[in-house]
Amino acid sequence: MANHGNMYGPSFTFLGIPQCDLDDPKSYADADVIIVGAPIDSGTSHRSGAKFGPQAIRGGDYLPHDAERPHLALRIDALKALKVYDAGDLMMPPGDLVSSLKVLEEATEKISRAGKIPVILGGDHSIASADVAGIAKHRGLGKISMIHFDAHADTGEDQFGALVGHGTPMRRLIESGHVRGDRFLQLGLRGYWPDDKTLNWMRDQGMRSYEMTEIHHRGLNKVLDESFATLTDGCDGVFLSVDIDVVDPGMAPGTGTPEPGGMTSRELLEAVRRICLELPVVGIDVVEVAPPFDSADITAILANRVVLEALSAIAKRRSGTPYSPTQNLLDR
């Protein structure tokens, strides 16, 4: 199922964590989390390059790759507190998007059925239509809610006539019943798409989509509070999907469809921390990192930290120890 190592470039794991083989359940029997790369960008509508994202995210760190990362604020080391394995990249031929997504769907279903949390390194956002579907096939249609950070709604009816692409995955997930529209939350939308017809479709599905101006005026924490109440109503778990273009391109230029006016990197990291501390997260993807357009690796570094932030918060949640963001660091 997985490529032997990384599909593009030299093989190394996320921050030096152990490898596993998805075709050998014994190699990940004790895992809590399994990281897998989805190196595909055939679904892009503008600048390609996200197929190199998994490699860049794995390596986006200035510290030694020693499988240790003590989190300063949370006072926990997720790579020690959790059993985290890297399965390498899935074999995703760039000329066959539909077949590649099927491989990803099968992989996340397998990981979920094994009782592990899949963390998928993208790749363009078309992968969400597959990775979420795989988990939903295990947990039940409509049983997982979704919180989606993005500049774009990704709810297009089609993309240049194609039903599959990075502009359509959220519509496909709702139409297929894998995720309920009224348990689908989006944060960070802005710019000049989609049109009224698509927005009306979103409204009719019961979606809740927070545009950046609303987030600015109401405050991110209030929006998250409101979102959490919806996400945990009648669902057994939450899937977190982070398109790196939710962050302003001044802080994350390495992406295919940059849109000015986004979140700061700090806002995204703090939101991810809260989500993984307070909600039963059952899957994560981080997508649309396009290294050819990055500057000084700052987008890859941010995406690496998004993954670490999520893992650290999951570890902290499982530890049962308290955390207060207002308490002084040395008193925690």
Side-chain angles (χ1 to χ4, degrees):
M1 177 171 288
N3 186 40
H4 292 291
N6 301 343
M7 195 164 173
Y8 298 102
S11 293
F12 56 88
T13 64
F14 181 82
L15 303 183
I17 62 175
Q19 292 178 317
C20 72
D21 181 350
L22 291 183
D23 290 326
D24 178 11
K26 292 181 181 178
S27 70
Y28 56 87
D30 63 342
D32 298 300
V33 177
I34 297 177
I35 293 174
V36 63
I40 194 80
D41 59 13
S42 303
T44 54
S45 59
H46 188 41
R47 306 188 306 194
S48 58
K51 67 183 179 183
F52 304 117
Q55 189 84 343
I57 297 170
R58 285 186 176 100
D61 192 295
Y62 57 86
L63 295 169
H65 284 208
D66 55 4
E68 296 182 8
R69 285 300 180 277
H71 193 289
L72 181 66
L74 295 177
R75 303 290 290 270
I76 198 166
D77 188 332
L79 301 185
K80 288 185 172 181
L82 300 174
K83 291 288 187 181
V84 187
Y85 291 86
D86 191 334
D89 289 347
L90 296 172
M91 182 63 77
M92 304 183 86
D96 195 346
L97 178 59
V98 173
S99 295
S100 293
L101 294 179
K102 186 63 177 176
V103 169
L104 175 58
E105 182 179 321
E106 292 171 356
T108 56
E109 182 180 1
K110 177 182 280 191
I111 294 168
S112 184
R113 288 191 184 279
K116 325 303 182 184
I117 298 174
V119 175
I120 301 91
L121 311 180
D124 71 60
H125 220 157
S126 65
I127 70 170
S129 64
D131 57 28
V132 178
I135 298 172
K137 282 189 171 182
H138 163 228
R139 292 186 168 267
L141 301 187
K143 293 298 186 181
I144 58 172
S145 57
M146 190 156 176
I147 185 163
H148 167 211
F149 287 81
D150 206 325
H152 311 98
D154 294 351
T155 50
E157 187 174 0
D158 63 73
Q159 183 174 305
F160 302 130
L163 295 178
V164 181
H166 75 167
T168 66
M170 309 315 168
R171 193 178 188 114
R172 300 288 89 87
L173 285 170
I174 293 171
E175 287 179 337
S176 62
H178 288 112
V179 181
R180 290 168 49 178
D182 61 354
R183 296 297 181 270
F184 206 117
L185 282 292
Q186 300 179 311
L187 283 79
L189 304 188
R190 58 192 189 276
Y192 300 87
W193 183 86
D195 56 14
D196 282 345
K197 179 183 177 182
T198 304
L199 291 171
N200 290 337
W201 179 88
M202 293 162 60
R203 178 202 60 206
D204 293 345
Q205 310 314 305
M207 295 179 71
R208 189 72 173 99
S209 301
Y210 295 92
E211 190 259 342
M212 277 304 303
T213 305
E214 180 181 355
I215 293 173
H216 171 73
H217 284 278
R218 294 185 60 197
L220 180 57
N221 275 326
K222 288 185 178 179
V223 168
L224 288 174
D225 289 342
E226 186 173 288
S227 299
F228 288 8
T230 300
L231 290 165
T232 54
D233 182 10
C235 290
D236 300 329
V238 179
F239 190 94
L240 167 62
S241 186
V242 177
D243 186 327
I244 209 67
D245 73 19
V246 74
V247 173
D248 190 273
M251 295 184 178
T255 193
T257 49
E259 187 64 54
M263 291 183 177
T264 66
S265 50
R266 178 187 59 80
E267 287 174 324
L268 174 61
L269 291 172
E270 291 188 358
V272 167
R273 183 188 304 177
R274 269 203 67 187
I275 289 163
C276 294
L277 272 172
E278 300 179 30
L279 299 178
V281 171
V282 296
I284 300 167
D285 65 27
V286 181
V287 304
E288 298 287 353
V289 175
F293 306 103
D294 210 355
S295 176
D297 299 329
I298 60 175
T299 312
I301 292 168
L302 173 59
N304 176 281
R305 290 303 193 255
V306 169
V307 175
L308 269 178
E309 200 69 36
L311 294 176
S312 299
I314 290 170
K316 187 70 172 179
R317 176 182 171 89
R318 292 190 178 189
S319 75
T321 56
Y323 164 72
S324 169
T326 61
Q327 188 177 23
N328 183 266
L329 171 67
L330 302 182
D331 295 331
R332 293 176 192 168

